[in-house]
Amino acid sequence: MESVRNHRTVGSVAPSGKSLATLLANPLLERAPRRANVLEVGAGTGSVTRVLLPRIPRGSRLDIVENNAQFAAHLRELVRGYPHLREQQERVRVHNMGVEQLATDRRYDVIVSGLPFSNFAPRQVDDIMGRYFDLLRPGGTLTYFSYCGSRWVRALLASRPEARRQRDVKNLLNQYHHRYAIGCWTVWGNLPPATVWQLRRPLDAVHHSDVVTAQPPMAS
């Protein structure tokens, strides 16, 4: 099972439920029918991709980034299976890489992240979040989720260094929430329940390194 073999990059043993996937995709749905540049990162088996694909307005662009080669191959087959996209297949691309390696000068109206931040080192989380805000257009929206209670359970079972890593990741994300969050919802019907965060890049935003990485980790 991929979630066992690659626990650092695969966040869950089960795909995201329909309600969670729809909530993550809401910024695109709210923009319709206006065209949009959309980036999905950490698409996994395609739970959110299946919500995005049939709702992509004509003339829009969808880039799907997935670091796991097996999942990326599955996502390419998923994209090819949508008949209404045949005339604009070049507008939907699957990239088998990390978002840090994505070479593009495109700016996105919507970014949807399925990456398991609780599995990453704080510096990597900061690099990825900074990359997201660099890729967002001013006024663009980022959504991501975390599973409810997972950090508490891990903290109880973790070694001291591991508990510190988890605390630092949480504090780092809280800094982003404090500056950029415009919404937060809990999907109790998901298995396991999940919290969805929605963040927006301000119209007058400065580079993330000027406002986040310069701050020391918050105390527990």
Side-chain angles (χ1 to χ4, degrees):
M1 181 179 289
E2 289 295 327
S3 60
V4 175
R5 289 197 298 266
N6 301 301
H7 68 283
R8 284 291 180 185
T9 55
V10 180
S12 174
V13 296
S16 301
K18 182 66 177 293
S19 295
L20 174 57
T22 300
L23 191 55
L24 288 165
N26 261 352
L28 172 66
L29 309 186
E30 291 169 356
R31 285 183 56 89
R34 291 175 294 165
R35 67 179 61 184
N37 286 334
V38 183
L39 173 65
E40 184 186 4
V41 181
T45 57
S47 298
V48 179
T49 313
R50 289 183 179 86
V51 176
L52 294 172
L53 285 174
R55 295 169 173 83
I56 291 290
R58 182 169 295 276
S60 295
R61 170 80 185 216
L62 172 60
D63 286 308
I64 304 168
V65 174
E66 173 53 55
N67 199 41
N68 181 290
Q70 182 175 334
F71 287 166
H74 172 77
L75 291 163
R76 290 189 179 100
E77 289 298 320
L78 180 63
V79 169
R80 283 194 284 266
Y82 276 81
H84 80 285
L85 292 175
R86 286 175 184 166
E87 296 178 357
Q88 52 177 344
Q89 282 288 330
E90 73 281 356
R91 293 186 176 274
V92 181
R93 294 285 179 87
V94 177
H95 308 267
N96 182 202
M97 62 183 63
V99 68
E100 304 96 322
Q101 287 77 50
L102 180 65
T104 180
D105 58 2
R106 186 173 293 107
R107 292 298 175 263
Y108 296 92
D109 302 286
V110 175
I111 297 178
V112 180
S113 176
L115 293 178
F117 287 135
S118 61
N119 292 352
F120 297 165
R123 173 55 62 183
Q124 186 177 9
V125 174
D126 194 24
D127 288 346
I128 292 170
M129 290 294 285
R131 178 65 169 150
Y132 286 163
F133 276 85
D134 285 342
L135 289 170
L136 277 174
R137 285 178 176 167
T141 304
L142 162 69
T143 57
Y144 81 93
F145 74 98
S146 60
Y147 291 118
C148 298
S150 61
R151 289 193 182 98
W152 293 103
V153 173
R154 293 183 182 188
L156 288 173
L157 302 176
S159 64
R160 184 172 297 179
E162 174 64 11
R164 184 183 305 113
R165 180 192 66 78
Q166 293 177 29
R167 183 178 66 246
D168 289 347
V169 167
K170 178 182 178 181
N171 290 337
L172 176 65
L173 290 173
N174 282 343
Q175 293 180 39
Y176 279 95
H177 299 162
H178 178 71
R179 297 194 64 90
Y180 303 118
I182 58 172
C184 177
W185 303 268
T186 299
V187 185
W188 295 109
N190 197 71
L191 185 64
T195 298
V196 173
W197 286 93
Q198 190 174 114
L199 285 66
R200 178 167 293 155
R201 180 178 176 178
L203 293 174
D204 58 349
V206 296
H207 192 278
H208 85 286
S209 62
D210 295 330
V211 295
V212 176
T213 56
Q215 302 179 30
M218 297 170 60
S220 59

